[in-house]
Amino acid sequence: MVLSVTACTTSGGSAPVSDRYNPSERPPPYYVVSAGDTLFSIAWRYGFNVKGLATANKLAPPYTIYPGQALVLQESTRVIAAAAKPAPTKNKPSTSKARVTPSKPVAAAKVPIPKPAIKSIPAVLDSSEAWRWPISGPLVRSFVATGQEHKGIDIKGKMGEPVRAAKAGVVVYSGSGLVGYGNLLILKHSDRYLSAYGHNRRLLVKEGDSVKAGAVIAELGDSGTDSPKVHFEVRIDGKPVDPLRLLPRR
């Protein structure tokens, strides 16, 4: 993700800001964990599914990572064979008293593990709970499906007004380490659904907190932008979708 700033040449002029939120076009093969990173923030930065990234790095929930740790930046769609222990087989009791001569051990045949089919984003999205607008202000920038421009929506607001959780979830990232987002919160709503709230003045929840839909999670700000607003994103299986497909019409 890149925050592109073009400076004015005239004296006293302000620098217009162009927000660029989507992941890098070509992620490096490895990523070295920095202080403040979570696996969710790294997956968000490069557009990966968290479970796929965790499996590729042999990480189990709660996906604990450490500064200086090198992670391979790829998604795994295969099940790690070592994690699946075979169930013990039940031998039927023998009714014969004949002595059995032990045979030579036979090498187990290697059975290929099939790759699960990649799930496409459903036409009808999550309906288990209604989504809510994080603030009540007007939409000032829309989602862009193609290119590098804008993988969420911007909602105009007033400095310091409460930002609310669009859906119940758990805070999986709270910080300012992702370029272009300012002070950012990421909520996990299920194994597939994440939402993010950028440009906050102040973050009111921390990683690991459970929040209810409509709970106040931040104060609106303008970090890294030209006006007070919330940048709101939703991702399904790591991929950005238009939040307006989820939010109620108004």
Side-chain angles (χ1 to χ4, degrees):
M1 299 170 192
V2 181
L3 180 62
S4 171
V5 180
T6 305
C8 287
T9 56
T10 57
S11 60
S14 60
V17 178
S18 173
D19 301 323
R20 299 173 68 89
Y21 298 95
N22 88 302
S24 303
E25 292 181 22
R26 288 188 178 181
Y30 293 93
Y31 178 85
V32 178
V33 178
S34 299
D37 283 339
T38 70
L39 196 69
F40 286 89
S41 68
I42 297 169
W44 190 278
R45 177 177 181 179
Y46 293 105
F48 288 136
N49 173 274
V50 174
K51 277 195 169 183
L53 182 61
T55 302
N57 287 277
K58 300 182 180 179
L59 297 173
Y63 308 140
T64 302
I65 56 177
Y66 304 94
Q69 181 178 357
L71 300 176
V72 59
L73 287 181
Q74 66 181 36
E75 289 180 345
S76 175
T77 57
R78 295 176 65 92
V79 178
I80 300 176
K85 295 182 179 180
T89 56
K90 294 182 180 180
N91 296 323
K92 295 182 179 180
S94 175
T95 57
S96 172
K97 296 181 180 180
R99 187 173 181 179
V100 179
T101 303
S103 59
K104 294 181 179 180
V106 179
K110 294 183 178 180
V111 180
I113 302 174
K115 291 184 179 181
I118 298 176
K119 297 180 179 179
S120 59
I121 296 173
V124 178
L125 301 177
D126 188 14
S127 60
S128 60
E129 179 188 44
W131 288 72
R132 308 179 182 201
W133 287 77
I135 62 172
S136 59
L139 182 70
V140 292
R141 197 172 181 187
S142 301
F143 175 85
V144 178
T146 59
Q148 303 291 312
E149 275 303 312
H150 206 247
K151 298 307 179 187
I153 60 175
D154 287 349
I155 312 166
K156 185 178 181 180
K158 297 179 180 179
M159 184 68 72
E161 78 171 278
V163 177
R164 301 179 184 274
K167 193 177 176 72
V170 177
V171 181
V172 292
Y173 180 77
S174 175
S176 57
L178 291 179
V179 175
Y181 289 94
N183 294 321
L184 173 70
L185 288 172
I186 300 177
L187 302 185
K188 176 185 176 182
H189 307 292
S190 70
D191 287 340
R192 300 187 64 204
Y193 287 76
L194 299 173
S195 66
Y197 312 75
H199 302 319
N200 301 289
R201 181 176 73 177
R202 183 182 172 203
L203 305 178
L204 302 179
V205 290
K206 61 184 184 299
E207 290 167 18
D209 286 351
S210 295
V211 297
K212 296 181 179 180
V216 177
I217 55 176
E219 293 177 359
L220 187 143
D222 61 355
S223 58
T225 70
D226 53 359
S227 62
K229 60 187 174 183
V230 172
H231 176 74
F232 179 63
E233 287 189 28
V234 176
R235 297 199 183 181
I236 303 177
D237 297 331
K239 308 307 177 188
V241 298
D242 188 350
L244 295 182
R245 295 172 61 188
L246 294 164
L247 297 171
R249 291 187 179 185
R250 61 183 191 182

